[in-house]
Amino acid sequence: MDRFVITGPTALAGRVRASGAKNAALPALAAALLTDQPLTLHRAPRVRDLRTMRRLLDHLGIGSEESRADTDAGGDAVLHLRRTGQSSPHDAPYDLVKTMRAGVLVLGPLLARHGYARVSLPGGCAIGVRPIDQHLKGLAALGADVRLAHGYVETRAERLRGARFRFDLPTVTGTENLLLAASLARGTTVLENCAREPEVADLARLLNAMGARISGAGGEAIVVEGVDELGGATHTIIPDRIEGGTYLIGAAMTGGDVLLEDASAADLAPLLDKLAVIGAEVAVSPAGIRVRAGTAGGPLRAGDMDTAPHPGFPTDLQAQYMALMTCAEGISTIRETVFENRFQHAPELARMGADVRVDGGSARVHGPTPLTGAAVMATDLRASACLVLAGVAAQGETVVARIYHLDRGYEGMELKLQGLGARVARVPESEAR
Ligand code: UD1
């Protein structure tokens, strides 16, 4: 278990490029189960969740190899996926799914392609109950027989058939699972109250490149005209807005000046709007998104924030935003409306000097409070990012333990932060004090 040792404070400055979006790459990998033809994915992030998904696919008869694209900026990884076994199992065992909730994404494609799937109920971040009832209701609406037993969900259907289905609430992987499944269903599927996250639209682009007929993805209603088979495709994953947003928050928080290159300002709009409101300078140009703070605009002001499904403020940036608010002047109220139990970073931030009061689903941050380095513990993926940012802003040495959470979703974070001037070192457990 590695840890980060950070010596602060540093005003982050320079250029940084986000890797491909983890949350777009995971369903893209699952799409490989829908075809016998090869799939090539550019800008695949080198993060642990992707390695876990590759292991799962390997078990399911899809081999993957990584190469480095010389033509791509930053030497991005290119993943080549290809079917290796025709008689592979159609199950996703607990051992392969327990650390990563997105393992459930193989359910839809396995069922659509082979008429049967058995998938362990997922694990993932400890940020709430996170049921998958919507995935299952949706698949049942397409004609699947769905049973739960012994920690597994077992589904069967000779051939899925198109149907109209309305999600009770927008779910990102639920929408993706249904898109994957409906692509090979007989007839037309209409999905309503869909998640509108850019990662859903990216999956639809990939599936359409494979021969699917999907329209409306990225909006509330999606229409899928089922086809009999899907072919191979080459696709470039969208940039990771959460990773990129984390560095922009870091710039604002440390009075820095960061240019996020090759990013989508539209996908990051909920964050950029908020940063502008609290007094950071935000400039979007063909070169990228530049965020500066601590200059003419004066100190940052507190700003209330509610997380919400896209195009609301992403829950995956809530923890980082809370770290930012410890540096802003005034009281900010942060409401987490997507997940329960997602304030585990608050007590750790408090150990670094923050004044955060949590009351159920909302937290009040009284700022500014000077942050001081401390030994802290990462509890989940985004909480880890929050603590690392706090460490960069804090006076003295911060040791963030359990960095394996961070490695699930951030490619080389210490290297990217070092590139922005931060003093961050990854220390293997054996060498830690
Ligand atoms: C995805 C992202 C995750 C992000 C989250 C919300 C991936 C791999 N992960 O997770 O990083 O934090 O979206 O933007 O893309 N729910 C149900 N029943 C269901 C499904 C979800 O009640 O069947 C609830 C959840 O408990 C949660 C809310 O719906 O309260 C949203 O969850 P969902 O969008 O499904 O999150 P994930 O797809 O798991």
Side-chain angles (χ1 to χ4, degrees):
M1 276 196 222
D2 294 354
R3 41 185 68 190
F4 275 5
V5 177
I6 307 166
T7 311
T10 304
L12 295 177
R15 296 160 178 258
V16 66
R17 183 172 179 275
S19 302
K22 165 182 88 76
N23 287 352
L26 289 168
L29 259 66
L33 290 163
L34 291 169
T35 177
D36 283 340
Q37 305 301 316
L39 216 58
T40 303
L41 300 175
H42 288 258
R43 204 170 186 173
R46 293 183 184 90
V47 295
R48 192 156 58 88
D49 272 8
L50 238 66
R51 289 197 290 278
T52 308
M53 193 65 156
R54 287 172 66 185
R55 272 209 308 283
L56 176 55
L57 286 187
D58 195 54
H59 168 79
L60 298 171
I62 305 287
S64 57
E65 272 175 33
E66 187 184 306
S67 67
R68 183 182 286 262
D70 295 331
T71 47
D72 272 354
D76 282 337
V78 182
L79 271 189
H80 307 270
L81 298 131
R82 181 185 293 274
R83 185 167 295 279
T84 50
Q86 284 303 338
S87 58
S88 309
H90 301 144
D91 74 310
Y94 176 67
D95 272 354
L96 287 170
V97 177
K98 67 179 178 203
T99 58
M100 189 192 62
R101 181 181 160 80
V104 74
L105 282 167
V106 303
L107 187 60
L110 282 178
L111 175 66
R113 189 79 202 290
H114 305 290
Y116 174 76
R118 183 169 179 271
V119 173
S120 170
L121 290 167
C125 280
I127 56 173
V129 181
R130 301 182 82 171
I132 57 162
D133 58 303
Q134 297 300 309
H135 303 231
L136 304 185
K137 271 171 92 173
L139 293 175
L142 298 186
D145 176 53
V146 178
R147 286 159 208 241
L148 290 176
H150 310 294
Y152 279 79
V153 45
E154 209 172 48
T155 56
R156 284 174 209 275
E158 219 158 84
R159 169 125 191 228
L160 294 172
R161 44 169 204 274
R164 176 178 289 270
F165 177 71
R166 183 175 180 80
F167 291 97
D168 292 336
L169 79 183
T171 149
V172 177
T173 48
T175 304
E176 291 164 351
N177 231 339
L178 267 286
L179 281 186
L180 289 157
S183 293
L184 284 182
R186 181 180 292 127
T188 302
T189 298
V190 179
L191 300 173
E192 293 168 346
N193 200 19
C194 294
R196 290 179 282 167
E197 269 69 1
E199 292 76 16
V200 173
D202 198 44
L203 172 65
R205 271 191 296 276
L206 166 63
L207 290 170
N208 283 341
M210 294 167 69
R213 297 170 67 186
I214 301 171
S215 56
E220 184 271 335
I222 303 180
V223 179
V224 187
E225 287 173 53
V227 296
D228 289 336
E229 62 177 15
L230 293 171
T234 296
H235 176 73
T236 302
I237 306 286
I238 53 171
D240 197 313
R241 64 198 165 98
I242 304 301
E243 186 205 8
T246 299
Y247 296 118
L248 294 180
I249 290 176
M253 188 172 164
T254 59
D257 182 354
V258 167
L259 179 71
L260 178 66
E261 295 177 318
D262 195 10
S264 164
D267 291 351
L268 273 161
L271 171 67
L272 301 182
D273 292 350
K274 189 58 78 180
L275 288 176
V277 165
I278 64 163
E281 279 182 54
V282 178
V284 177
S285 73
I289 304 168
R290 183 175 179 187
V291 169
R292 280 192 289 177
T295 45
L300 297 177
R301 299 179 289 277
D304 294 347
M305 183 275 279
D306 293 0
T307 64
H310 194 76
F313 193 98
T315 172
D316 285 350
L317 285 173
Q318 177 259 109
Q320 300 88 319
Y321 185 81
M322 184 184 286
L324 172 64
M325 283 302 98
T326 70
C327 303
E329 221 167 84
I331 300 172
S332 46
T333 302
I334 298 175
R335 285 204 318 131
E336 174 55 66
T337 75
V338 178
F339 291 115
E340 72 273 29
N341 198 21
R342 208 178 191 179
F343 286 135
Q344 289 163 343
H345 41 284
E348 297 300 293
L349 276 179
R351 300 189 54 252
M352 299 180 71
D355 182 352
V356 186
R357 301 168 201 182
V358 175
D359 181 11
S362 66
R364 278 161 82 82
V365 185
H366 296 245
T369 45
L371 297 176
T372 53
V376 290
M377 186 93 83
T379 48
D380 68 57
L381 171 54
R382 306 304 170 185
S384 318
C386 147
L387 297 175
V388 171
L389 291 185
V392 173
Q395 182 75 46
E397 187 177 278
T398 296
V399 179
V400 186
R402 298 200 178 167
I403 281 305
Y404 62 87
H405 287 295
L406 197 72
D407 291 333
R408 283 186 48 208
Y410 285 84
E411 178 175 338
M413 192 187 208
E414 73 276 29
L415 303 176
K416 292 190 185 185
L417 284 173
Q418 284 162 10
L420 296 173
R423 284 169 291 167
V424 187
R426 177 184 292 264
V427 179
E429 175 77 352
S430 54
E431 292 173 29
R433 282 183 282 155

